[in-house]
Amino acid sequence: MRILCLHGRGSNNDIFKMQTAGFRSQLDDFEFEFVQGTVQHAKEGWAIHTDTFANSGLWEYYDLLDPYNVIETEQELLQLVEDDGPYDGVLGYSQGASLAAQAIIRFAVENPTATADQFPFRFAIFINCPTPIRILEMDEKVEPDIPKPEESDAALYMMLARANPLLDSQALFPARLANGRRVLTDNTVGLTKADPALDGQLIKIPTLHIRCPEDKEQFGREAYELCEKSVARQCFHHHDHDFPRGYDEMRAIAKQIRSLAEGH
């Protein structure tokens, strides 16, 4: 059983191996393969263990404010799976989870007649998964429209605009499409979050959503809503956006992963 593993933003393979060691040790018949991001991340000390492993370099998979880089990274992940696969599943935490979801969505949109065995993964495990990003071709020209603080997406766009001083992001401006959808755009492409109300359930393969129900909806709940409910399951922890921890939680996660992978 081969599982592709994608770490969180501002992290690295060393950190992710340590974070997942507790449940991986109970899945010793599984093969976990780690792929590290290549975009340098500023040292912020924003998560447990980040400072400890800072000498290993802190990385992310794409520049959140460069839609062309997002597209390129999704395509590169799908190419990696084609070249080095097959993989049974994908395991992602935070940005790694959203990247995995985005690649699955991209494949589904670009291959609408694909059968289940043609998908890059049979199943996906999302830990604290931020709402996946979608890059849309702009069919309409729009003017800047700054979100009001009381709007539900205002905090999300503020988070997306959190600059990484090591990156040189493209110049995007916030706007609203005719259907009401919020985007960050250069009037060629629009960067937006996937929305089940507008997009439907984009992920049809079996999924496991490991998340904190007390965390913001954009860090797990919205990703769950994008998945086919008949094959989506959830496993809750209570550490907000931090990684789950403790023997009981690791044991429960391992049990859920095995059940998902074996189709029980």
Side-chain angles (χ1 to χ4, degrees), residues 43-103:
K43 180 178 180 294
E44 298 183 29
W46 63 348
I48 293 176
H49 311 304
T50 298
D51 284 338
T52 304
F53 286 87
N55 291 335
S56 303
L58 301 177
W59 307 96
E60 51 193 84
Y61 292 102
Y62 50 71
D63 176 354
L64 280 167
L65 286 180
D66 185 346
Y68 304 97
N69 181 241
V70 174
I71 293 171
E72 181 182 24
T73 305
E74 293 169 0
Q75 293 171 335
E76 286 176 348
L77 178 59
L78 291 173
Q79 188 63 50
L80 181 149
V81 173
E82 185 174 332
D83 293 343
D84 296 343
Y87 289 96
D88 295 285
V90 61
L91 163 68
Y93 169 49
S94 195
Q95 189 190 66
S98 58
L99 171 58
Q102 288 161 212

Side-chain angles (χ1 to χ4, degrees), residues 64 67 70 133-135 157 160 182-184 189-193:
L64 280 167
V70 174
I133 292 170
R134 293 200 69 190
I135 309 299
Y157 283 96
L160 288 174
R182 276 283 177 196
V183 295
L184 293 173
V189 296
L191 183 152
T192 187
K193 68 174 188 176

Side-chain angles (χ1 to χ4, degrees), residues 93-95 97-98 101 127-133 159 218-220 223 241:
Y93 169 49
S94 195
Q95 189 190 66
S98 58
I127 304 176
N128 297 355
C129 183
T131 307
I133 292 170
M159 179 197 73
Q218 69 240 30
F219 293 128
H241 199 61

Side-chain angles (χ1 to χ4, degrees), residues 9 42 53 64 83 98 101 138 186 199 209 211 250 256:
R9 182 178 176 223
F53 286 87
L64 280 167
D83 293 343
S98 58
M138 294 291 289
D186 58 2
D199 301 319
H209 302 258
R211 67 183 185 89
M250 293 295 103
Q256 288 281 359

Side-chain angles (χ1 to χ4, degrees), residues 92-95 97-98 101 126-132 156 159 193-194 196 203 207-227 229 232-237 240-241:
Y93 169 49
S94 195
Q95 189 190 66
S98 58
F126 301 136
I127 304 176
N128 297 355
C129 183
T131 307
L156 173 65
M159 179 197 73
K193 68 174 188 176
I203 298 177
T207 52
L208 171 60
H209 302 258
I210 302 166
R211 67 183 185 89
C212 174
E214 293 86 28
D215 203 357
K216 296 180 178 67
E217 289 193 352
Q218 69 240 30
F219 293 128
R221 175 61 185 271
E222 291 177 345
Y224 171 72
E225 296 296 334
L226 288 165
C227 297
K229 294 299 185 299
R233 59 185 77 186
Q234 300 189 83
C235 180
F236 296 133
H237 65 85
D240 296 322
H241 199 61

Side-chain angles (χ1 to χ4, degrees), residues 5 7 10 13 53 85 92 108 122 128 143 148 160 171 193 209 248-249 254:
C5 302
H7 59 72
N13 282 349
F53 286 87
R122 288 195 300 107
N128 297 355
E143 298 296 329
K148 296 180 175 60
L160 288 174
K193 68 174 188 176
H209 302 258
D248 290 341
E249 286 186 358

